[in-house]
Amino acid sequence: MRITAAVLEHAHAPFEIKDFTLDDPNANEVIVKIVATGLCHTDLAVRDEHIPIGMPIILGHEGAGIVETVGSSVTHVKPGDHVVLAPASCGTCAFCLDGHPSYCENFMSLNFLGHRLDGSYAYHAGKKQIGGFFFYQSSFATYALAHERNIVKVPKDAPLELLGPLGCGLQTGAGSVINVLRPRAGESIAVFGVGPVGLAAIMAAKASGCTTIIAVDVFDNRLKLAEELGATHSINSKTTVVSEVINSEILHGGVHYSIDTTGRNDVINQAVASLRFMGHCAVVGVIPTPKLEIDTAVFTMGRGLSYVIEGDSVPQVFIPQLISLYKNGLFPFDKLVKFYDLEDINEAVADTEKGVTLKAIVRMPQK
Ligand SMILES: [Zn+2]
Ligand SMILES: [Zn+2]
C-alpha cells in the first residue's frame, strides 16, 4: 500500500514528508491507520546519533490509530479496533514471562534495528529499502506496521488522537510511580525534572495518594504546571541546593521516594540526597550519564537507586489503567499536549527543543 511518512534521511537533518510503499503484514503483524503520534525525546536521540540506527528511517513511537489489516495469526485485535502502540517485546524470554517486557532480552533488536529480526524490510521507495520498525511501529506515517505484541486495544469512547504518548513517555513517568516505587497513601515524593515524563510522575503520585509532592526544575512555567497537576511544593533548582531545602523547609529527614528524569550526575546526586532512610530513587526515561559518581555513604541507611525503563509496565494492562485514571480526572495529561499537522512536524520538533511545547502530538492527514 502507499503511505505518507516523515522520514529521516540523514543524522541531524529535519524530517522530510514523502510517500513510500508498505508491504502486506506478516502473519503476526498488524497494519494500523495512524490518527496521531506523540513526539518523544528518543526520536530526537536517533536524529542526533545517540542511538545508532541505519538511515533513511521512518521514526515515531507513540502512535495511536485504528486497526486496518491483521496478519493471518493475529486474533486479539480486528479491523476497526482502536489501539495504542507500545514498545515491542518478544513474549518468550524470562523477563517477558515474568511480567517485565520493558526488560525483554530482545528489546534492542525488536525496537532499534530498522528491519525485522530476519533482516527483511517492509518500506520501500522504488527499489530502495527504507528503515522502519522503530519501536516496531514507525508511526510518523499515515499507516504503521506493528507487531501483535505491541498493540494495545483501547476503549472507543476515549479520545484516540490524544492517547499515543501513553505508549512511551507518559507510561514511563506514571509507571515508575505506580508500578515501581508504589507509594502508599500519605507518603512523599520529589520529582526532579518536570517535562512530560516528570509531570506524568507528579499526576501518578497524586492519584496514588501522596500528600507531599515536590516538583524540581529550572523553568518556572513548568513548576507552575506541576503545581496545577498535583505538586504540593515546587523548587527552582537554579540557585538552591534542593536536598537542603527539602530537609530544612519541607520534610525533615527527607522524602520516601524521588525520581530523576534528567540523567544528569549532579541531579541524580540531589535526588538521592533528598531521600529519607530506606528511601528509593528511580532514574527514568533517559539515556543516563555514562559514569555516575555518587557518594556511596548515602546507601548505608537502606537507600536505593534503580534505573527504570518504560515504567516497568505491561502496556496491555497499564495503558487501559491510565485511560481509566484520565476519565476520572486523575491523570489530566491533555494539559501537556499541543497538536501539529504532519507537514508541520519540524515545527513540533523546534517547539519541543525550545521548551515551548511539552508534549507535541502530530496528527496524520485523514484521507
Ligand atoms: Zn522478551
Ligand atoms: Zn519514547
Side-chain angles (χ1 to χ4, degrees):
M1 71 191 302
R2 294 295 287 170
I3 67 164
T4 302
V7 67
L8 188 66
E9 293 277 358
H10 310 283
H12 308 284
F15 290 102
E16 295 176 46
I17 311 297
K18 293 185 177 177
D19 288 351
F20 300 99
T21 306
L22 172 59
D23 293 344
D24 290 337
N26 280 351
N28 58 4
E29 292 175 340
V30 177
I31 289 181
V32 176
K33 181 177 169 62
I34 295 295
V35 171
T37 302
L39 174 70
C40 176
H41 277 284
T42 310
D43 296 303
L44 305 180
V46 170
R47 179 200 63 185
D48 296 340
E49 296 185 291
H50 299 307
I51 298 173
I53 188 167
M55 295 175 197
I57 185 163
I58 302 167
L59 299 175
H61 66 283
E62 291 185 344
I66 300 167
V67 173
E68 176 84 5
T69 318
V70 298
S72 57
S73 68
V74 176
T75 56
H76 71 299
V77 289
K78 59 182 187 311
D81 283 348
H82 287 194
V83 294
V84 167
L85 303 178
S89 56
C90 75
T92 55
C93 75
F95 300 94
C96 282
L97 291 170
D98 202 24
H100 302 285
S102 305
Y103 304 102
C104 172
E105 287 176 4
N106 299 295
F107 194 89
M108 295 306 289
S109 51
L110 283 166
N111 292 295
F112 297 114
L113 278 184
H115 50 71
R116 295 186 186 90
L117 292 178
D118 66 6
S120 62
Y121 285 78
Y123 299 85
H124 315 277
K127 291 202 168 99
K128 189 175 172 190
Q129 319 260 40
I130 303 294
F133 301 91
F134 186 57
F135 284 82
Y136 221 119
Q137 56 178 284
S138 290
S139 50
F140 286 149
T142 48
Y143 292 88
L145 182 66
H147 192 278
E148 62 177 345
R149 285 270 311 165
N150 68 332
I151 292 268
V152 181
K153 195 169 158 181
V154 296
K156 284 193 174 168
D157 62 353
L160 189 55
E161 67 176 10
L162 192 61
L163 302 182
L166 297 177
C168 183
L170 299 180
Q171 77 162 0
T172 293
S176 298
V177 175
I178 293 171
N179 300 322
V180 180
L181 299 177
R182 295 172 174 255
R184 289 175 294 189
E187 290 191 324
S188 55
I189 188 166
V191 180
F192 289 73
V194 286
V197 173
L199 290 169
I202 298 263
M203 290 186 275
K206 186 178 182 199
S208 301
C210 287
T211 44
T212 303
I213 302 170
I214 303 163
V216 182
D217 206 294
V218 292
F219 296 109
D220 286 329
N221 61 332
R222 290 187 184 201
L223 292 170
K224 189 163 169 285
L225 182 57
E227 288 181 358
E228 282 171 32
L229 295 175
T232 57
H233 301 75
S234 61
I235 300 173
N236 190 317
S237 54
K238 235 187 245 170
T239 51
T240 48
V241 180
V242 176
S243 57
E244 287 172 10
V245 174
I246 289 177
N247 226 307
S248 63
E249 295 175 24
I250 301 176
L251 208 59
H252 180 67
V255 289
H256 291 83
Y257 309 100
S258 60
I259 287 189
D260 169 73
T261 70
T262 72
R264 286 173 46 154
N265 195 88
D266 55 337
V267 181
I268 295 171
N269 268 274
Q270 282 298 304
V272 173
S274 300
L275 293 172
R276 76 207 297 258
F277 293 169
M278 298 187 74
H280 191 167
C281 172
V283 178
V284 310
V286 284
I287 301 165
T289 181
K291 190 174 177 194
L292 178 63
E293 288 179 36
I294 198 157
D295 178 358
T296 52
V298 294
F299 296 118
T300 56
M301 295 311 289
R303 296 181 181 94
L305 175 73
S306 314
Y307 280 69
V308 178
I309 296 177
E310 294 288 346
D312 193 13
S313 83
V314 177
Q316 289 80 358
V317 175
F318 192 55
I319 289 172
Q321 279 177 262
L322 290 177
I323 292 170
S324 178
L325 288 169
Y326 168 76
K327 283 184 179 169
N328 284 279
L330 295 165
F331 194 69
F333 69 98
D334 53 314
K335 293 192 175 146
L336 280 54
V337 164
K338 184 172 175 194
F339 286 99
Y340 297 80
D341 291 331
L342 178 63
E343 62 189 20
D344 299 324
I345 188 169
N346 292 309
E347 187 185 329
V349 171
D351 285 355
T352 301
E353 294 190 307
K354 275 185 275 180
V356 176
T357 299
L358 276 166
K359 174 52 78 176
I361 297 183
V362 179
R363 281 188 178 119
M364 299 305 145
Q366 300 297 313
K367 291 171 200 160

